Amino acid sequence: MSQYWTVSEGTANRTGWSCRECKQIIQKGTPIKVRDGRKMRFFYHTQCFVDADPRSQPSSSFDKYKHVVAPKAPPQKGRGKWSVASYGYQ
């Protein structure tokens, strides 16, 4: 399994994020799962989250675009302009 994605969970501290899977608004106080890559952060309702890799989500467009998308995540996050000191939802 790749170490590229960091999965964390918590409670939404504000209203306004959209669930990446069901596209509904995540309300403040709702339990959530968060998937962090090096440059991206995806929010999910806990019941909508499937696996650490977004390609496994039911609404994933991976099958439609697999000819231009890598078949798996890089082995590590790497470093660069968008790197942060720590990942995960706090």
Side-chain angles (χ1 to χ4, degrees), residues 35-47:
R35 178 187 291 128
D36 286 312
R38 186 167 70 95
K39 296 182 180 182
M40 302 168 286
R41 174 174 270 184
F42 301 129
F43 291 87
Y44 297 87
H45 293 107
T46 53
Q47 66 271 21

